[in-house]
Amino acid sequence: MPGAFLFAQNKSDSAKVLQKVTVTGERKHNPFTAIVPVQVLNHEALLQMNAENIADAAKYFSGVLIKDYGGVGGLKTISVRSLGGLNTGLVYDGINIADAQTGQVDLSKFSATFVQSVELDQANPQQIPMPARIYSSASILSFTSSSFNTANFSKAKWLAGINAGSFGLWQPYAGVYVPVSKNTVVSANAEATWATGDYPYHIENGMFSQKAYRTNSDIQSYQGEINVVNRFADSSTLQTKAWGYQSERGLPGSIIFFNDISVQRLEDKDFFIQSRYLKKLNETTTILASAKYSSLFTKYTDPNFLNNAGGLDDRYTQNEMYGSLSLSHRLGEYFSFSVASDLASTHLSANINSFPTPTRMSVWNNLMIEFTKSHWQINASLLNTNINDKTISGTAAVNKNKFTPAFAIGYKPDPESPFLFRFFYKEIFRMPTFNDLYYTYNININPKLLPEYSEQYDAGITYSKNFNSSVSQISFSADGYYNNIRDKIIAVPAQNLFIWTMKNIGKVRITGIDLNGQINGKFSADLKWSARIAYTWQRALDVTDPLSSVYKDEIPYTPDQSGSGMAAVFYKIWSAGYNILFSDERYTLGENDPTNLLPGWNEQDVFVSARFPFKNFQTIIKGEVNNIFNQQYDVIHYYPMPGRSYKLSITINNL
């Protein structure tokens, strides 16, 4: 305070030694300062969108295509920068979620209700130490639950609510976070989803048109998890998560004019338990040990399938044991390195005659070195992957042992500059999946399939700066990229259209630009606002065979332009917002004929919510109108998406 002076007392009997107080908190990193492209949706952003699951959130990232077959129960898989869903790793609370059978995970299985943040990293995430398996993907989609926040072990927290919406949607949920001691906290949450999915759609076929309702699009699903976090006296932490999911859903078929019969059903029963132990040995060295057991059960039925058994009733069970040990160490002032070694054993069994019953042993070893000084940040990594398959019957794939490098560099003109220039290169491969190698309905399976290789190049610039005005922060990034895929695995007809074989004959070249921007501000202490945009331009071309009629044609489902936008205002207890997703036209087949062109689309949503505080809890009521202009469109050809829909949410919590 100006003009005031404080004098210290010299009397020794007045001196006291205060107990040490440690203040901890979650450090919010700025994704626009990373040397590789990073996009993040925090908890506040997730609340602004119609995100019932992780797939709905990931749609708002640039460079992302969510293959959505429609409705709450429709399967949803991700492709980043047109590299395909099999090249995108999925990480939940620091450990991979994998499916060796199909190579990609249905993102609709993972609810966004209890997620603290969703993050998309190109190339390698920058945190160390980290399991080696995470480095084995071209990009990483990770999401983090609030259960593992070790900053507050003193307060019990709870939450309960329900979503109700169009097409028979009911989604109750509840969670609790209970400190059982000063160093241990237990949390649990659960969510159920019921939906009929019988939304209307239109079919146009020349001079004929038909209005119909989607059939066999219902779902019943249940998921829940229990988390235990222990923080020990030496500051180490042990995090354990047990997660389960069960669903029974219809698989709506493609639309055929005047024929809406669809009878295929899918049942899933998934479970995993995982633990992570993080310990700082000293000021320069940290170790991370991770372990996981997962079990995936899938039942697919099709009573109309033409066979001697009178239909299909295929049941698959996949079990995996996984372990990882990683270490990071800081060398002097400028250098750090990390080493990691992971091991996984994956076994797939089925009730199908003559099924090969494969077991895959996978070993990943990774070395990363990082240099940070003033204007520069550089890191390089080398990943060794060893894959060994064994089968009970038939021929197993040959062993694979590959080294793949990655390199990233960032430069700031000045340590305090808001600008950052960045570049990365990464080479990676993905092993053929169990379905690629051993799917018994492909009579001519090919156990000699080679891995599918991808090379990624990226160069970009970012800008991020804080202000003391009505605009508090502006962040922007622009990245140009080039991807090259060789030995692409594709299915081609063998003897006839009903007997296929898998071959390495594909080559794809992808060029693109990703733009991302975010701006936050406030007009007063009570009136705040925020906005973000994501935009992608890209060309993904088939360059397999110069003599082919499809040479340099665009590969299916790769729009030239796509993107998203979000804007929200916050005034006292009220908030309101507007979201948009859009996609340019794209081809549905490799032959770029006008008859294969699928029209572009945009979907616009609005919401209003209010928070009513009480003495010991608060109530939040939110209303949404999604696809407000009732646009009729397909993401996947002949799989219509819902038109206009409504949703009301009520949440009670003491957070």
Side-chain angles (χ1 to χ4, degrees):
M1 185 169 62
F5 296 87
L6 297 177
F7 295 88
Q9 301 297 318
N10 294 323
K11 295 181 180 181
S12 59
D13 59 357
S14 66
K16 293 183 179 180
V17 179
L18 299 178
Q19 290 183 340
K20 180 181 178 181
V21 177
T22 302
V23 179
T24 60
E26 290 275 329
R27 181 171 158 294
K28 294 184 178 180
H29 67 280
N30 184 349
F32 290 91
T33 61
I35 64 172
V36 296
V38 178
Q39 300 175 68
V40 178
L41 292 170
N42 59 22
H43 187 63
E44 291 75 15
L46 292 173
L47 292 176
Q48 296 175 28
M49 61 182 64
N50 175 31
E52 293 166 357
N53 50 58
I54 296 301
D56 293 334
K59 293 176 182 179
Y60 286 85
F61 291 140
S62 65
V64 165
L65 170 65
I66 298 293
K67 290 190 175 181
D68 193 334
Y69 290 82
V72 175
L75 300 178
K76 298 172 176 62
T77 59
I78 186 173
S79 175
V80 179
R81 292 186 171 182
S82 295
L83 290 173
L86 295 92
N87 285 300
T88 302
L90 189 65
V91 175
Y92 190 13
D93 281 331
I95 299 180
N96 282 80
I97 298 169
D99 185 342
Q101 180 183 358
T102 65
Q104 52 190 338
V105 178
D106 178 12
L107 296 180
S108 69
K109 293 181 179 180
F110 299 94
S111 170
T113 302
F114 297 95
V115 169
Q116 190 67 21
S117 65
V118 180
E119 180 172 317
L120 179 66
D121 295 80
Q122 303 292 343
N124 297 331
Q126 301 303 293
Q127 302 88 348
I128 55 173
M130 186 173 293
R133 190 178 196 172
I134 292 180
Y135 294 89
S136 67
S137 299
S139 57
I140 294 292
L141 179 68
S142 60
F143 47 103
T144 305
S145 65
S146 56
S147 305
F148 284 169
N149 180 1
T150 60
N152 187 355
F153 275 57
S154 61
K155 180 184 177 183
K157 295 178 281 188
W158 54 267
L159 175 150
I162 188 170
N163 299 325
S166 302
F167 321 126
L169 174 66
W170 292 95
Q171 196 172 49
Y173 51 88
V176 63
Y177 182 95
V178 181
V180 296
S181 72
K182 66 177 183 178
N183 291 320
T184 304
V185 64
V186 177
S187 67
N189 61 67
E191 180 177 284
T193 301
W194 298 280
T196 58
D198 54 348
Y199 51 88
Y201 64 92
H202 290 85
I203 310 175
E204 300 292 338
N205 186 8
M207 60 182 295
F208 297 101
S209 65
Q210 177 188 5
K211 180 178 180 181
Y213 290 86
R214 205 68 166 115
T215 60
N216 199 41
S217 188
D218 61 293
I219 184 173
Q220 298 180 33
S221 70
Y222 310 89
Q223 64 177 286
E225 62 181 59
I226 298 174
N227 302 282
V228 181
V229 180
N230 298 95
R231 184 175 59 193
F232 302 103
D234 61 357
S235 77
S236 62
T237 58
L238 175 65
Q239 306 168 338
T240 301
K241 174 187 290 289
W243 176 90
Y245 173 87
Q246 180 175 340
S247 72
E248 199 276 332
R249 72 179 88 184
L251 294 177
S254 60
I255 298 302
I256 302 174
F257 207 65
F258 298 125
N259 183 1
D260 59 356
I261 297 176
S262 179
V263 294
Q264 294 84 6
R265 308 291 295 181
L266 182 68
E267 294 183 30
D268 290 298
K269 294 180 181 178
D270 299 351
F271 169 80
F272 70 72
I273 182 168
Q274 66 182 40
S275 288
R276 299 174 76 243
Y277 176 73
L278 183 67
K279 179 177 174 60
K280 193 172 184 179
L281 299 179
N282 51 50
E283 290 301 316
T284 60
T285 307
T286 302
I287 62 169
L288 172 66
S290 307
K292 181 175 183 176
Y293 167 76
S294 63
S295 175
L296 310 176
F297 171 80
T298 302
K299 177 183 176 182
Y300 171 77
T301 58
D302 181 0
N304 286 352
F305 189 83
L306 299 178
N307 59 4
N308 294 332
L312 288 181
D313 185 358
D314 291 352
R315 306 181 186 197
Y316 300 90
T317 301
Q318 184 179 165
N319 295 296
E320 180 174 283
M321 298 290 295
Y322 166 79
S324 170
L325 184 64
S326 54
L327 177 145
S328 65
H329 180 73
R330 191 172 72 249
L331 290 170
E333 186 177 355
Y334 305 123
F335 286 93
S336 298
F337 78 89
S338 69
V339 292
S341 185
D342 296 15
L343 172 67
S345 175
T346 311
H347 178 78
L348 179 66
S349 60
N351 67 334
I352 301 172
N353 291 333
S354 302
F355 188 71
T357 313
T359 298
R360 174 170 292 177
M361 293 293 296
S362 306
V363 179
W364 300 271
N365 296 291
N366 189 75
L367 170 65
M368 171 179 272
I369 300 175
E370 185 173 82
F371 171 81
T372 304
K373 181 181 179 182
S374 184
H375 305 268
W376 296 93
Q377 184 178 349
I378 304 170
N379 68 49
S381 66
L382 182 64
L383 174 69
N384 172 246
T385 305
N386 189 289
I387 308 291
N388 184 1
D389 280 9
K390 293 183 178 180
T391 57
I392 292 179
S393 63
T395 304
V398 297
N399 296 347
K400 303 294 191 300
N401 185 32
K402 302 293 181 182
F403 287 88
T404 49
F407 174 82
I409 182 171
Y411 171 76
K412 296 192 104 181
D414 182 87
E416 302 301 321
S417 171
F419 289 98
L420 169 71
F421 299 91
R422 62 191 182 190
F423 170 84
F424 83 76
Y425 165 81
K426 184 172 184 178
E427 181 181 345
I428 208 67
F429 80 95
R430 70 102 173 163
M431 183 67 182
T433 68
F434 283 164
N435 278 359
D436 290 337
L437 294 166
Y438 310 117
Y439 188 58
T440 55
Y441 294 109
N442 293 338
I443 294 179
N444 295 331
I445 61 173
N446 184 1
K448 295 183 180 180
L449 277 174
L450 299 173
E452 182 178 296
Y453 287 89
S454 301
E455 289 181 314
Q456 300 170 269
Y457 300 83
D458 180 285
I461 182 174
T462 73
Y463 173 90
S464 184
K465 189 172 183 179
N466 296 328
F467 301 90
N468 293 318
S469 64
S470 58
V471 176
S472 58
Q473 182 190 47
I474 296 178
S475 299
F476 175 81
S477 68
D479 285 89
Y481 59 87
Y482 171 79
N483 300 331
N484 182 39
I485 306 175
R486 67 182 190 275
D487 293 331
K488 187 172 180 62
I489 300 171
I490 62 173
V492 297
Q495 299 176 15
N496 54 53
L497 291 178
F498 298 97
I499 300 177
W500 294 66
T501 187
M502 309 304 294
K503 290 186 177 181
N504 293 105
I505 63 172
K507 294 181 182 179
V508 177
R509 290 177 185 168
I510 305 160
T511 55
I513 298 173
D514 281 352
L515 304 177
N516 288 277
Q518 184 171 314
I519 183 169
N520 303 309
K522 60 181 180 180
F523 296 114
S524 67
D526 293 328
L527 183 58
K528 302 177 182 179
W529 57 273
S530 67
R532 60 180 294 150
I533 61 167
Y535 171 82
T536 295
W537 174 89
Q538 70 171 356
R539 298 295 302 274
L541 305 180
D542 183 344
V543 292
T544 302
D545 182 3
L547 301 179
S548 170
S549 62
V550 298
Y551 182 65
K552 289 192 175 181
D553 277 2
E554 295 182 25
I555 64 174
Y557 295 106
T558 55
D560 286 352
Q561 301 181 76
S562 61
S564 67
M566 300 172 59
V569 294
F570 311 89
Y571 178 71
K572 294 185 177 179
I573 68 169
W574 296 94
S575 63
Y578 165 83
N579 306 323
I580 181 172
L581 291 165
F582 66 90
S583 173
D584 201 358
E585 59 187 15
R586 61 266 184 232
Y587 292 97
T588 61
L589 296 175
E591 186 175 355
N592 291 178
D593 187 275
T595 59
N596 299 326
L597 195 62
L598 197 61
W601 58 270
N602 70 81
E603 181 178 318
Q604 303 176 56
D605 309 332
V606 294
F607 78 89
V608 176
S609 70
R611 177 178 55 86
F612 301 97
F614 297 92
K615 182 177 180 181
N616 297 316
F617 65 94
Q618 63 179 349
T619 299
I620 301 172
I621 300 176
K622 179 183 178 183
E624 303 175 30
V625 183
N626 302 306
N627 196 355
I628 56 178
F629 296 111
N630 197 34
Q631 180 166 100
Q632 305 292 304
Y633 69 97
D634 298 0
V635 174
I636 304 298
H637 201 21
Y638 300 125
Y639 287 84
M641 297 291 290
R644 186 185 299 113
S645 64
Y646 306 89
K647 188 166 73 173
L648 178 66
S649 306
I650 300 177
T651 304
I652 304 173
N653 64 58
N654 72 334
L655 304 180

mmCIF file of all heavy atoms in Angstrom, residues 105-123:
data_model
loop_
_atom_site.group_PDB
_atom_site.id
_atom_site.type_symbol
_atom_site.label_atom_id
_atom_site.label_comp_id
_atom_site.label_asym_id
_atom_site.label_seq_id
_atom_site.Cartn_x
_atom_site.Cartn_y
_atom_site.Cartn_z
ATOM 1 N N VAL A 105 -11.332 -48.384 -32.650
ATOM 2 C CA VAL A 105 -12.258 -48.475 -31.528
ATOM 3 C C VAL A 105 -13.496 -47.634 -31.816
ATOM 4 O O VAL A 105 -13.401 -46.525 -32.357
ATOM 5 C CB VAL A 105 -11.577 -47.984 -30.222
ATOM 6 C CG1 VAL A 105 -12.548 -48.033 -29.054
ATOM 7 C CG2 VAL A 105 -10.343 -48.840 -29.920
ATOM 8 N N ASP A 106 -14.665 -48.164 -31.472
ATOM 9 C CA ASP A 106 -15.918 -47.421 -31.596
ATOM 10 C C ASP A 106 -15.957 -46.356 -30.498
ATOM 11 O O ASP A 106 -16.097 -46.656 -29.320
ATOM 12 C CB ASP A 106 -17.101 -48.385 -31.462
ATOM 13 C CG ASP A 106 -18.445 -47.676 -31.522
ATOM 14 O OD1 ASP A 106 -18.483 -46.479 -31.901
ATOM 15 O OD2 ASP A 106 -19.460 -48.315 -31.173
ATOM 16 N N LEU A 107 -15.828 -45.083 -30.901
ATOM 17 C CA LEU A 107 -15.752 -43.988 -29.929
ATOM 18 C C LEU A 107 -17.068 -43.739 -29.212
ATOM 19 O O LEU A 107 -17.091 -43.066 -28.184
ATOM 20 C CB LEU A 107 -15.301 -42.704 -30.627
ATOM 21 C CG LEU A 107 -13.886 -42.713 -31.219
ATOM 22 C CD1 LEU A 107 -13.588 -41.373 -31.862
ATOM 23 C CD2 LEU A 107 -12.852 -43.045 -30.175
ATOM 24 N N SER A 108 -18.171 -44.258 -29.728
ATOM 25 C CA SER A 108 -19.453 -44.030 -29.062
ATOM 26 C C SER A 108 -19.546 -44.784 -27.745
ATOM 27 O O SER A 108 -20.459 -44.549 -26.959
ATOM 28 C CB SER A 108 -20.611 -44.448 -29.982
ATOM 29 O OG SER A 108 -20.640 -45.859 -30.163
ATOM 30 N N LYS A 109 -18.603 -45.685 -27.472
ATOM 31 C CA LYS A 109 -18.618 -46.429 -26.212
ATOM 32 C C LYS A 109 -18.189 -45.576 -25.026
ATOM 33 O O LYS A 109 -18.415 -45.966 -23.879
ATOM 34 C CB LYS A 109 -17.679 -47.642 -26.302
ATOM 35 C CG LYS A 109 -18.106 -48.724 -27.272
ATOM 36 C CD LYS A 109 -17.111 -49.876 -27.259
ATOM 37 C CE LYS A 109 -17.518 -50.990 -28.198
ATOM 38 N NZ LYS A 109 -16.549 -52.107 -28.179
ATOM 39 N N PHE A 110 -17.559 -44.434 -25.278
ATOM 40 C CA PHE A 110 -16.961 -43.660 -24.196
ATOM 41 C C PHE A 110 -17.719 -42.351 -24.002
ATOM 42 O O PHE A 110 -17.715 -41.475 -24.861
ATOM 43 C CB PHE A 110 -15.488 -43.395 -24.493
ATOM 44 C CG PHE A 110 -14.690 -44.671 -24.607
ATOM 45 C CD1 PHE A 110 -14.487 -45.264 -25.845
ATOM 46 C CD2 PHE A 110 -14.187 -45.295 -23.483
ATOM 47 C CE1 PHE A 110 -13.782 -46.446 -25.966
ATOM 48 C CE2 PHE A 110 -13.478 -46.480 -23.585
ATOM 49 C CZ PHE A 110 -13.282 -47.055 -24.822
ATOM 50 N N SER A 111 -18.359 -42.241 -22.851
ATOM 51 C CA SER A 111 -19.170 -41.067 -22.539
ATOM 52 C C SER A 111 -18.293 -39.847 -22.300
ATOM 53 O O SER A 111 -17.172 -39.949 -21.797
ATOM 54 C CB SER A 111 -20.017 -41.341 -21.293
ATOM 55 O OG SER A 111 -20.629 -40.163 -20.829
ATOM 56 N N ALA A 112 -18.817 -38.672 -22.652
ATOM 57 C CA ALA A 112 -18.115 -37.418 -22.396
ATOM 58 C C ALA A 112 -18.564 -36.756 -21.098
ATOM 59 O O ALA A 112 -18.036 -35.707 -20.730
ATOM 60 C CB ALA A 112 -18.337 -36.452 -23.563
ATOM 61 N N THR A 113 -19.504 -37.356 -20.385
ATOM 62 C CA THR A 113 -20.090 -36.724 -19.196
ATOM 63 C C THR A 113 -19.064 -36.476 -18.111
ATOM 64 O O THR A 113 -19.042 -35.412 -17.489
ATOM 65 C CB THR A 113 -21.235 -37.594 -18.654
ATOM 66 O OG1 THR A 113 -22.215 -37.775 -19.675
ATOM 67 C CG2 THR A 113 -21.878 -36.931 -17.447
ATOM 68 N N PHE A 114 -18.203 -37.462 -17.852
ATOM 69 C CA PHE A 114 -17.269 -37.355 -16.743
ATOM 70 C C PHE A 114 -15.839 -37.109 -17.209
ATOM 71 O O PHE A 114 -14.883 -37.380 -16.487
ATOM 72 C CB PHE A 114 -17.332 -38.626 -15.886
ATOM 73 C CG PHE A 114 -18.676 -38.852 -15.252
ATOM 74 C CD1 PHE A 114 -19.615 -39.674 -15.855
ATOM 75 C CD2 PHE A 114 -19.016 -38.207 -14.075
ATOM 76 C CE1 PHE A 114 -20.863 -39.875 -15.285
ATOM 77 C CE2 PHE A 114 -20.264 -38.399 -13.496
ATOM 78 C CZ PHE A 114 -21.192 -39.231 -14.095
ATOM 79 N N VAL A 115 -15.691 -36.586 -18.404
ATOM 80 C CA VAL A 115 -14.371 -36.317 -18.966
ATOM 81 C C VAL A 115 -13.962 -34.884 -18.677
ATOM 82 O O VAL A 115 -14.754 -33.950 -18.842
ATOM 83 C CB VAL A 115 -14.370 -36.596 -20.481
ATOM 84 C CG1 VAL A 115 -13.112 -36.077 -21.138
ATOM 85 C CG2 VAL A 115 -14.509 -38.093 -20.725
ATOM 86 N N GLN A 116 -12.718 -34.717 -18.242
ATOM 87 C CA GLN A 116 -12.207 -33.383 -17.931
ATOM 88 C C GLN A 116 -11.681 -32.672 -19.170
ATOM 89 O O GLN A 116 -11.817 -31.464 -19.312
ATOM 90 C CB GLN A 116 -11.098 -33.491 -16.885
ATOM 91 C CG GLN A 116 -10.642 -32.165 -16.309
ATOM 92 C CD GLN A 116 -11.711 -31.487 -15.467
ATOM 93 O OE1 GLN A 116 -12.628 -32.143 -14.995
ATOM 94 N NE2 GLN A 116 -11.601 -30.188 -15.285
ATOM 95 N N SER A 117 -11.087 -33.425 -20.107
ATOM 96 C CA SER A 117 -10.561 -32.816 -21.321
ATOM 97 C C SER A 117 -10.392 -33.884 -22.394
ATOM 98 O O SER A 117 -10.224 -35.070 -22.096
ATOM 99 C CB SER A 117 -9.218 -32.122 -21.063
ATOM 100 O OG SER A 117 -8.230 -33.070 -20.707
ATOM 101 N N VAL A 118 -10.438 -33.444 -23.651
ATOM 102 C CA VAL A 118 -10.171 -34.293 -24.813
ATOM 103 C C VAL A 118 -9.080 -33.610 -25.620
ATOM 104 O O VAL A 118 -9.145 -32.399 -25.872
ATOM 105 C CB VAL A 118 -11.430 -34.497 -25.677
ATOM 106 C CG1 VAL A 118 -11.117 -35.396 -26.873
ATOM 107 C CG2 VAL A 118 -12.564 -35.085 -24.861
ATOM 108 N N GLU A 119 -8.067 -34.384 -26.036
ATOM 109 C CA GLU A 119 -6.893 -33.798 -26.684
ATOM 110 C C GLU A 119 -6.514 -34.612 -27.910
ATOM 111 O O GLU A 119 -6.547 -35.842 -27.888
ATOM 112 C CB GLU A 119 -5.730 -33.753 -25.695
ATOM 113 C CG GLU A 119 -4.448 -33.159 -26.255
ATOM 114 C CD GLU A 119 -3.386 -32.958 -25.187
ATOM 115 O OE1 GLU A 119 -3.735 -32.478 -24.088
ATOM 116 O OE2 GLU A 119 -2.213 -33.286 -25.451
ATOM 117 N N LEU A 120 -6.157 -33.923 -28.976
ATOM 118 C CA LEU A 120 -5.663 -34.564 -30.196
ATOM 119 C C LEU A 120 -4.236 -34.094 -30.443
ATOM 120 O O LEU A 120 -3.986 -32.899 -30.606
ATOM 121 C CB LEU A 120 -6.543 -34.211 -31.396
ATOM 122 C CG LEU A 120 -6.093 -34.807 -32.732
ATOM 123 C CD1 LEU A 120 -6.202 -36.331 -32.725
ATOM 124 C CD2 LEU A 120 -6.903 -34.231 -33.892
ATOM 125 N N ASP A 121 -3.293 -35.028 -30.462
ATOM 126 C CA ASP A 121 -1.884 -34.734 -30.703
ATOM 127 C C ASP A 121 -1.465 -35.344 -32.035
ATOM 128 O O ASP A 121 -1.651 -36.548 -32.262
ATOM 129 C CB ASP A 121 -1.003 -35.324 -29.602
ATOM 130 C CG ASP A 121 -1.251 -34.696 -28.250
ATOM 131 O OD1 ASP A 121 -2.235 -35.070 -27.582
ATOM 132 O OD2 ASP A 121 -0.445 -33.838 -27.849
ATOM 133 N N GLN A 122 -0.879 -34.529 -32.896
ATOM 134 C CA GLN A 122 -0.230 -35.056 -34.083
ATOM 135 C C GLN A 122 1.170 -35.531 -33.689
ATOM 136 O O GLN A 122 1.797 -34.983 -32.791
ATOM 137 C CB GLN A 122 -0.127 -33.982 -35.165
ATOM 138 C CG GLN A 122 -1.452 -33.372 -35.566
ATOM 139 C CD GLN A 122 -2.353 -34.355 -36.297
ATOM 140 O OE1 GLN A 122 -1.920 -35.394 -36.780
ATOM 141 N NE2 GLN A 122 -3.634 -34.024 -36.386
ATOM 142 N N ALA A 123 1.660 -36.558 -34.378
ATOM 143 C CA ALA A 123 2.981 -37.117 -34.075
ATOM 144 C C ALA A 123 3.015 -37.595 -32.633
ATOM 145 O O ALA A 123 2.159 -38.374 -32.220
ATOM 146 C CB ALA A 123 4.079 -36.106 -34.375
#
